[in-house]
Amino acid sequence: MDSVARLGERLQEFAAARDWEQYHTPKNLAMALSGEAGELVAELQWLSDDETKAGLAEGPLKERLADEAADVMLNLVRLTDMCGIDLIEAANAKIERNETRFPPKT
Amino acid sequence: MDSVARLGERLQEFAAARDWEQYHTPKNLAMALSGEAGELVAELQWLSDDETKAGLAEGPLKERLADEAADVMLNLVRLTDMCGIDLIEAANAKIERNETRFPPKT
Amino acid sequence: MDSVARLGERLQEFAAARDWEQYHTPKNLAMALSGEAGELVAELQWLSDDETKAGLAEGPLKERLADEAADVMLNLVRLTDMCGIDLIEAANAKIERNETRFPPKT
Amino acid sequence: MDSVARLGERLQEFAAARDWEQYHTPKNLAMALSGEAGELVAELQWLSDDETKAGLAEGPLKERLADEAADVMLNLVRLTDMCGIDLIEAANAKIERNETRFPPKT
């Protein structure tokens, strides 16, 4: 099974076991995703590119970013599942549109 | 190859062909992700849950949401790649932490 | 009349004249604010600090940022009004808390 | 002195006393604003409109929202100051553009 489909399945089981499906409307999940994106951005807001590079090499920053990126991903997978959207298909289709929109340098 | 790893590879090729790697710092990508999360939230901001459901059934809303979700995903994949983070591993680890943090109802 | 209170009054008249008060729930306005913050961030996401400085001097970037900052402000004023929050008082109180939290260098 | 101009002055003194002016680039402040907007949205993400209304009447939710709204405001004031933008003027100009863009019901 595809890794993203498997995440969606785990999230569905997680919500069902806690009776949380009632909260997982597209609107609420979009808000949750936006809040998590804000936490991700907050990790990097005062760092220069060199400080980020150093922080990633040391470890704690990388763990914090991985944790926030995971939160964004979980909300994104759950949101697209709730909307009947195939996230991987949509992402590949978007790359293809971008390839036309922004032709490569020659 | 895993679907997310494949997206990362396509994004790497896309950036290289346009000489855009210079812009893909963690900071810039986190900002781009945050901007796309804002566009996703904006699609749903004035809709009631019933209007969202109706909109998803009709089509155009679903396409717009798929497009915005794709933009979030592409920035998330690119950002985690640039930081050396395994997105799928981080997402699964986060589900496991949440399972401990929020024990299921019994 | 204070400039922020006057903005709030204009927004109230604007909403009433269009029968839009029904949409101005705290949840919807928080989403709108978040979406506008995303548009503001998007204006700066690929620019270096030097490019931003040059862009601000030339004009168009400054106008676009002013426009996005205005959108954030209007949603923030409307949201706090709908919640019975005095925005200026809250902002001053926060500065005072920050002064204690982050003592100045001596 | 106008209340927003006064906030800007206090933020300038606050930054100068801590040698933080170096961090207050438009890019960093836009990220900080976006992060705070995410925290504001997170306060409301799982609440129904009725729950928000009840929470605002009880107190703690109102205080938390006031605190997050203040953080957004402080970053917005600081950002516009750093860009030479008059926030109140921009907000009033935007209301006027919206009045033309969305004519009132008659």
Side-chain angles (χ1 to χ4, degrees), chain B residues 3 5 7 15-16 19 24 30 36 38-39 45 53 70 75 101 106:
Chain B
S3 59
L7 280 178
D19 200 14
H24 289 184
E36 298 298 347
E39 291 192 34
Q45 68 198 9
K53 196 174 286 185
N75 280 291
R101 220 171 127 206
T106 48

Side-chain angles (χ1 to χ4, degrees), chain B residues 11-51:
Chain B
L11 290 171
Q12 171 53 35
E13 288 160 11
F14 185 90
R18 283 153 189 83
D19 200 14
W20 283 2
E21 286 153 315
Q22 58 185 313
Y23 301 113
H24 289 184
T25 61
K27 193 165 186 127
N28 290 1
L29 291 165
M31 292 176 86
L33 187 155
S34 176
E36 298 298 347
E39 291 192 34
L40 185 54
V41 127
E43 288 293 340
L44 298 167
Q45 68 198 9
W46 306 124
L47 302 182
S48 69
D49 291 342
D50 285 346
E51 287 165 335

